[in-house]
Amino acid sequence: MKHQKGSLIIKIPLVNQQTGKGDIMDVDILRKELKNNNIDNAIRVIEEFGENKFYEAVPYLIKCFEDTSNHKLRNTIAIALADIGDQSALKPIINALNDPKTIGKRGTLLYALGFFDYSPYIELLTNLIISGNFEESRQSLSLLESIDINIEHEVIDECTKEISKDINKLEEKIEFLLEAIDILESLKK
């Protein structure tokens, strides 16, 4: 927990003298902070959960991850789940990546995905390479490049086919845009 004194921030560790375990390692603290809409405090608790690999918090973190519309909170939970490393967080992250409400806000989710076995989801990565914003497409490409297991050739062929279709669409669009430039230039008289 951090307390401010003037512009100085003092971090006070919450350690139980008997167990040596931080008092912050309690899901009820997170529940209370979220109930009171203290998002900044909740984020600090979630970060502590991740840093300390607090596995007991995973079910509640997943529930919060799935329920929140706050992308900052969702991203913090995704990183904590990645730090904890419980594979049960993979499917909720995949679901969030497929959810239209995360469009334009998927970079951190993709980063968190990298801590799990995401190899069965290369079609999703391919789709994000094609349709994602700059961060999403580059992060997806990086994840694709990091896969170190054999993928079925049919899956690879399908993904390659999708990228090729998009290249063809872009070539058509480039031709169209070049024609638009020619028309605009012809208007100079």
Side-chain angles (χ1 to χ4, degrees), residues 6-21:
S7 62
L8 178 66
I9 297 177
I10 305 165
K11 186 165 183 172
I12 301 172
L14 300 174
V15 177
N16 181 314
Q17 294 298 330
Q18 294 176 340
T19 65
K21 186 175 181 181

Side-chain angles (χ1 to χ4, degrees), residues 58 62 65-66 78 81-82 85-98 109-110 112-121 124:
V58 169
I62 289 173
F65 179 83
E66 292 173 332
L81 289 168
D86 189 313
Q87 196 68 18
S88 66
L90 175 63
K91 191 64 175 164
I93 291 172
I94 293 296
N95 291 343
L97 287 166
N98 281 313
L109 299 176
L110 287 162
L113 182 64
F115 288 82
F116 300 98
D117 176 15
Y118 56 87
S119 59
Y121 301 97
L124 171 62

Side-chain angles (χ1 to χ4, degrees), residues 6-7 17 19 24 27 42-43 47 52 55 62-63 88 93 97 108 118 126 138-139 150-151 187:
S7 62
Q17 294 298 330
T19 65
I24 203 160
V27 174
I43 285 172
E47 288 170 343
N52 292 291
Y55 289 93
I62 289 173
K63 180 183 179 339
S88 66
I93 291 172
L97 287 166
T108 301
Y118 56 87
T126 300
R138 293 343 181 251
Q139 186 69 32
N150 290 329
I151 304 294
L187 296 175

Side-chain angles (χ1 to χ4, degrees), residues 1 8 16 18 20-22 24 37 58 66 73 77 82 84-85 87 92 98 122 142 144 152 156 169 189:
M1 181 177 286
L8 178 66
N16 181 314
Q18 294 176 340
K21 186 175 181 181
I24 203 160
N37 205 29
V58 169
E66 292 173 332
L73 184 62
I77 295 170
I84 294 169
Q87 196 68 18
N98 281 313
I122 68 166
S142 177
L144 191 62
E152 293 181 23
I156 294 170
K169 286 180 194 173
K189 296 182 184 174

